[in-house]
Amino acid sequence: MHGPRSSPERAPRLYGRAFAAVVAGLLISIGFVGVALLEQNSALSGQLGAVDPIVNGNVRVLSQTQRELLRLDALIASGNPDRELVRFHADLVTQRIREAGLSYQINTLGSPELLAQSGTLGLIWTSRAEPLLDGAVDGSPTARAELRALIDEIELGFNRLVSEAEINRRFNAVEANTATSEVLGRTRGVLVGGGVSVVLLLAGAGLAGLGFVRFDRQRARTAQLMSELNDEMRILSAVASHTNAMVVITDADGVTTWVNDAFVESTGYPAEAIVGRRPGDVLQGPETDPDTVARMARHVSAGEAFTCEVVNYSADGVPYWVRIEVQPVTDDHGTLVNFIAVESDITADREAQRRLERAKEVAEEVATAKSSFLATMSHEIRTPLNAVIGLTSLLQGTPLDDQQREYVTTAASSGRLLLDVINDILSWSALGFDAVELERRPFSPQELVEQTVELARANATAKDIRVTSTVADDVPTTLEGDPTRLRQVLVNIVGNAVKFTDEGHVAVHVDIVDHAPDEATVPVRIRVVDTGIGIPADQVDRLFLPFSQADASTTRRYGGTGLGLAISNDLVALMGGRIDVESTPGTGTEVVIQLDLPVGRDASPGLASTAEVDAPPSADLRVLLVEDDPVNQMVAFHMLDRLGLTADVADNGQAALEAVHRCDYDVVLMDVHMPVMDGPTAARHIRQELPAARQPTIVAMTANAMPGDRERLLAADMDDYVAKPVRLGDLATTLRAVGATQS
């Protein structure tokens, strides 16, 4: 008979069951733990995959610092940088450099030494480079060169930091992989030393332990990276929040997601009033340019960066100008996620620009008024002066006793002096208004010099001094330039030499300096040498100042406005040349004109000789004199009589129009300012109403002698121009040309 089974017999089964249960429980637990660890590991891997690009932004901070430095350097090197744009990029450089020197960057750089180097580069920027910005923008070559050198030094330093940081990260990765390999090696050794069951348990425990270790390491790494990212985001947020510029962040559709404190303070809109809305829906108003708004919308739709200036409105309805710089932000896949807009209030700049434009308008109005005043004064002075000079010229041709001739000669000389003063003032005023336009036509330097000397000989002969001229053989027979202006310069200089020379001579020499035979332009040198009173060395520079002479006694003794050399100097400068003066008091003066002039082909016949001026015009010309002033009528009538001509007289443009309908005239001498109908209007009617076969030559004979008057009148249906006071020789030359066309 069998008794009950003893406990030792049941123990193996119990232990086996218990062991099996334990093993099963362990395996199940290990399985569950393994599955959980694998799921968590997968989740952590996904988190790290999302966090890694953001954390790598720390490395991009160094690269972005380099890029901003290069952009700033390129902007400064452009030669005329915009101050606001320079300041904007300089602020970005400062921000990036500060971020590159923060303590958390040691995880990117990999060593305290590199972090210290980053801080040193930041110190170079703030203490040495940044103070040079204003000087570089203002155009200082020294500041610009030194600033660019410092930018190169800082950019090179960050380049080295990026390279050495990459080496450190790779070294740390190798160490981590080596440590992991050692752990795995030890784990395999333990597994090999156990039995099948123990091996399975240890394997499960090892796998669970390895998964836990990996999980814990990844968790710690993620926590560290997230902490660093939060620190960086706090810094960036603080920068954006506390910058003086208004910052707006929108989503890809342009809807506002965030604004900084400067935006709220500047616009008066609280953040909640604009977040969730498009900025333009809140800020734009009646004065906002719709074309600019449409352009902004096109850029946003295309996901493009852009810069514009537009009128916005604050919360209390006050308009203000703002410059907006918008940059799109994309993710690692190139998908547009945000727009960042940095806005600067430029209302003060716009107002300053408006004031400058208004000041320019006022200056132009003043210049116009001044020009009009000078033109009016010139006309009013020339009109009676025409009678004075004309009548004295006619009187000199009549029988006179010695005393009468002396009186008439003095009156004629005074009239010509007054005319010279007026001409000098008008020429100087024209240069001040930039109204002088230079011609370019062929001329003979030999003829130009001879005619200048011929004009000076009358005054020189009266003082018993000689005036001579020489033109070197190597001077081309024909040059190109503005012979009228060049003759004006020579007449001024030679006239001055004659005026200030009491005995001896005045000589004009023309030659070429260092000229190669095959060059198309020659360096012409014109020397005017006199044996006059001379000028002290400390007074030479005053010669080229308007209304200035060597000293007050010069003006009292010799007269003149002191404008001649100032005008000559400006004209020569317009021609691209220069005037030099050397003088010794009591010995004489040498004035040297140097010009580069093209070699011409055929000389212009425009410069008439003295013999031609004295030749009378054709005596069978039919002349109509149109003049409202009775005295000027008499002067012109007697001048025509001296030339062997008679004339009909009309005292206004309407009377002249009626006269040309009644009779055929060869030439009409037309005044400009007249009652009833002025000269240009009468000329236009004559051109419109008379057939081509009956058209006369219309010569403007006027006191309008401001720069541009000749061109304006020739464009207004006039054929030629004679300025008052009318010189008999000028009138004869003009009428002789009319006679030549009639024959």
Side-chain angles (χ1 to χ4, degrees), residues 2 21 35 92 106 168 173 193 195 224 230 258 300 316 439 454 462 502 531 638 640 649 659 720 740 742:
H2 298 281
V35 170
L92 289 179
I106 194 170
N168 287 341
Q224 180 183 357
N230 287 336
W258 183 85
V300 170
D316 54 3
E439 292 184 308
E454 186 67 26
D502 293 328
T531 57
H638 285 295
L640 291 171
V649 179
D720 207 342
Q742 297 294 327

Side-chain angles (χ1 to χ4, degrees), residues 386-417 458-459 462 635 638-639 642 726-729:
N386 180 63
V388 172
I389 293 178
L391 289 175
T392 54
S393 175
L394 291 172
L395 192 57
Q396 285 177 311
T398 64
L400 300 170
D401 60 34
D402 293 342
Q403 187 177 39
Q404 290 172 332
R405 185 167 300 282
E406 180 182 357
Y407 292 162
V408 172
T409 300
T410 301
S413 176
S414 298
R416 287 194 297 271
L417 178 60
N459 290 334
V635 171
H638 285 295
M639 281 187 173
R642 285 280 298 274
V726 178
R727 298 176 186 270
L728 185 62

Side-chain angles (χ1 to χ4, degrees), residues 617-654:
S618 174
D620 58 354
L621 287 178
R622 290 162 295 181
V623 180
L624 174 64
L625 173 64
V626 187
E627 171 66 66
D628 64 309
D629 185 83
V631 176
N632 284 332
Q633 285 181 7
M634 179 183 66
V635 171
F637 189 83
H638 285 295
M639 281 187 173
L640 291 171
D641 182 63
R642 285 280 298 274
L643 296 174
L645 297 173
T646 60
D648 295 333
V649 179
D651 58 5
N652 61 68
Q654 180 63 44

Side-chain angles (χ1 to χ4, degrees), residues 255-592:
V255 176
T256 306
T257 59
W258 183 85
V259 295
N260 69 343
D261 294 341
F263 178 90
V264 174
E265 181 179 351
S266 298
T267 66
Y269 285 105
E272 56 270 19
I274 194 168
V275 171
R277 304 174 66 182
R278 296 179 183 274
D281 295 341
V282 179
L283 301 174
Q284 294 166 8
E287 296 181 22
T288 305
D289 180 28
D291 293 336
T292 303
V293 173
R295 182 167 64 87
M296 294 166 63
R298 288 195 298 271
H299 285 300
V300 170
S301 298
E304 299 172 340
F306 64 91
T307 301
C308 67
E309 295 181 0
V310 69
V311 174
N312 281 345
Y313 285 79
S314 62
D316 54 3
V318 177
Y320 63 94
W321 276 94
V322 64
R323 179 183 291 113
I324 306 174
E325 299 185 19
V326 178
Q327 291 289 339
V329 179
T330 58
D331 60 18
D332 291 338
H333 304 291
T335 302
L336 179 67
V337 292
N338 293 103
F339 286 99
I340 298 179
V342 179
E343 303 179 358
S344 304
D345 190 329
I346 58 170
T347 305
D349 295 341
R350 281 280 183 161
E351 179 62 21
Q353 180 181 354
R354 187 194 66 78
R355 287 197 297 268
L356 286 175
E357 291 174 351
R358 178 54 187 155
K360 180 182 177 183
E361 292 174 358
V362 170
E364 291 174 348
E365 291 172 0
V366 170
T368 301
K370 180 180 178 183
S371 178
S372 176
F373 171 77
L374 287 173
T376 301
M377 292 303 299
S378 169
H379 182 274
E380 294 303 317
I381 294 173
R382 283 173 178 273
T383 297
L385 192 58
N386 180 63
V388 172
I389 293 178
L391 289 175
T392 54
S393 175
L394 291 172
L395 192 57
Q396 285 177 311
T398 64
L400 300 170
D401 60 34
D402 293 342
Q403 187 177 39
Q404 290 172 332
R405 185 167 300 282
E406 180 182 357
Y407 292 162
V408 172
T409 300
T410 301
S413 176
S414 298
R416 287 194 297 271
L417 178 60
L418 179 59
L419 180 60
D420 290 340
V421 171
I422 295 171
N423 288 336
D424 280 350
I425 292 174
L426 293 181
S427 295
W428 176 71
S429 300
L431 288 167
F433 295 135
D434 295 328
V436 174
E437 294 184 4
L438 298 178
E439 292 184 308
R440 177 170 173 174
R441 58 186 176 89
F443 69 93
S444 166
Q446 180 79 37
E447 290 183 9
L448 186 143
V449 171
E450 288 177 354
Q451 291 173 15
T452 302
V453 169
E454 186 67 26
L455 290 172
R457 278 206 174 100
N459 290 334
T461 301
K463 300 177 69 172
D464 196 23
I465 61 175
R466 292 178 296 107
V467 181
T468 61
S469 65
T470 58
V471 178
D473 294 338
D474 59 348
V475 176
T477 57
T478 305
L479 296 172
E480 287 190 358
D482 190 330
T484 302
R485 294 299 181 184
L486 185 54
R487 182 167 60 177
Q488 180 181 355
V489 170
L490 284 178
V491 167
N492 268 331
I493 294 175
V494 175
N496 264 4
V498 172
K499 180 192 297 185
F500 296 111
T501 300
D502 293 328
E503 58 182 15
H505 68 274
V506 174
V508 182
H509 306 284
V510 183
D511 59 7
I512 302 299
V513 183
D514 299 330
H515 169 57
D518 57 345
E519 291 181 1
T521 300
V522 295
V524 179
R525 179 174 62 182
I526 305 174
R527 298 166 51 237
V528 179
V529 183
D530 65 59
T531 57
I533 62 175
I535 307 164
D538 60 348
Q539 300 293 326
V540 168
D541 290 341
R542 295 186 58 192
L543 294 178
F544 299 109
L545 298 177
F547 303 107
S548 176
Q549 293 187 349
D551 56 43
S553 63
T554 301
T555 303
R556 289 193 299 270
R557 179 179 176 187
Y558 295 98
T561 62
L563 283 173
L565 278 180
I567 294 169
S568 299
N569 188 57
D570 289 346
L571 286 174
V572 170
L574 280 176
M575 298 177 192
R578 75 174 192 270
I579 298 179
D580 298 314
V581 178
E582 292 185 5
S583 184
T584 303
T587 301
T589 301
E590 179 178 5
V591 179
V592 181

Side-chain angles (χ1 to χ4, degrees), residues 611-694:
E612 289 175 332
V613 171
D614 293 337
S618 174
D620 58 354
L621 287 178
R622 290 162 295 181
V623 180
L624 174 64
L625 173 64
V626 187
E627 171 66 66
D628 64 309
D629 185 83
V631 176
N632 284 332
Q633 285 181 7
M634 179 183 66
V635 171
F637 189 83
H638 285 295
M639 281 187 173
L640 291 171
D641 182 63
R642 285 280 298 274
L643 296 174
L645 297 173
T646 60
D648 295 333
V649 179
D651 58 5
N652 61 68
Q654 180 63 44
L657 184 60
E658 295 171 358
V660 297
H661 277 287
R662 292 193 304 267
C663 179
D664 292 339
Y665 291 99
D666 297 310
V667 60
V668 176
L669 301 177
M670 182 78 74
D671 190 18
V672 172
H673 295 286
M674 294 180 292
V676 184
M677 181 183 293
D678 62 25
T681 303
R684 184 173 66 254
H685 281 288
I686 291 172
R687 298 307 186 204
Q688 293 172 351
E689 297 176 15
L690 291 185
R694 296 186 57 199

